Amino acid sequence: NAGVTQTPKFQVLKTGQSMTLQCAQDMNHNSMYWYRQDPGMGLRLIYYSASEGTTDKGEVPNGYNVSRLNKREFSLRLESAAPSQTSVYFCASSERTGRDEQFFGPGTRLTVL
Amino acid sequence: SQKIEQNSEALNIQEGKTATLTCNYTNYSPAYLQWYRQDPGRGPVFLLLIRENEKEKRKERLKVTFDTTLKQSLFHITASQPADSATYLCALDANNNNDMRFGAGTRLTVKP
């Protein structure tokens, strides 16, 4: 039981490059989330998916897109990376949105030069 | 504006003492409040959830209170140990239970 897995663990991009962060969970959870964590600002929700086939914006969605590929996988895409997107990105999953405990992946440390 | 504030960025206490961490919120009406632990370089790990109609919840050495009048949650670790040193995050449901909002966290250091 791997829980929530994320790839890659580290990534360096140049401004304007694109990339996709991958996330998968093996707990049969309905809901999945993408957060970013910056020093002194805590975790901020980028996008979430309450169930397979649905996605919704969170607190800071600008510059990102997501795909809920199936119940297990939820990817985050940066179409044109900017230095302001330098952050640590966490994927999480839960049985239902809002009320249930969330299980987090190990994070992806992204640097945009 | 909506805010979630956790007391001081850092809290240092002596082993064996009780650590008390505070989470205050403004312009939210959460039905649930959660506490997570985060170690350096790792993702947060869930500790406790408390509902708006519960005053207190306990789990081993952990205790959480939730006061909807004061708009505050307190998180206590009794008989603290150096292994309890970590950052603790509070989170609450926002926008009709569809997403969670997190505080910035309090870094707790327990000294032997």
Side-chain angles (χ1 to χ4, degrees), chain A residues 44-66:
Chain A
R44 290 183 293 168
L45 183 67
I46 304 171
Y47 271 93
Y48 66 97
S49 171
S51 61
E52 187 179 354
T54 69
T55 60
D56 284 286
K57 295 178 181 179
E59 200 179 350
V60 289
N62 291 345
Y64 305 95
N65 284 303
V66 291

Side-chain angles (χ1 to χ4, degrees), chain B residues 21 37-40 82-88 106-110:
Chain B
L21 284 65
R37 169 184 173 139
Q38 186 173 23
D39 292 289
D84 295 326
S85 298
T87 295
Y88 292 85
T106 295
R107 188 172 66 251
L108 174 68
T109 301
V110 181

Side-chain angles (χ1 to χ4, degrees), chain B residues 94-106:
Chain B
N95 303 329
N96 299 317
N97 294 330
N98 281 334
D99 63 71
M100 296 288 290
R101 298 294 166 90
F102 283 79
T106 295

Side-chain angles (χ1 to χ4, degrees), chain A residues 4-20:
Chain A
V4 179
T5 56
Q6 292 182 236
T7 54
K9 284 189 168 43
F10 302 93
Q11 184 72 48
V12 179
L13 292 177
K14 293 181 181 175
T15 297
Q17 287 185 317
S18 63
M19 79 161 295
T20 300

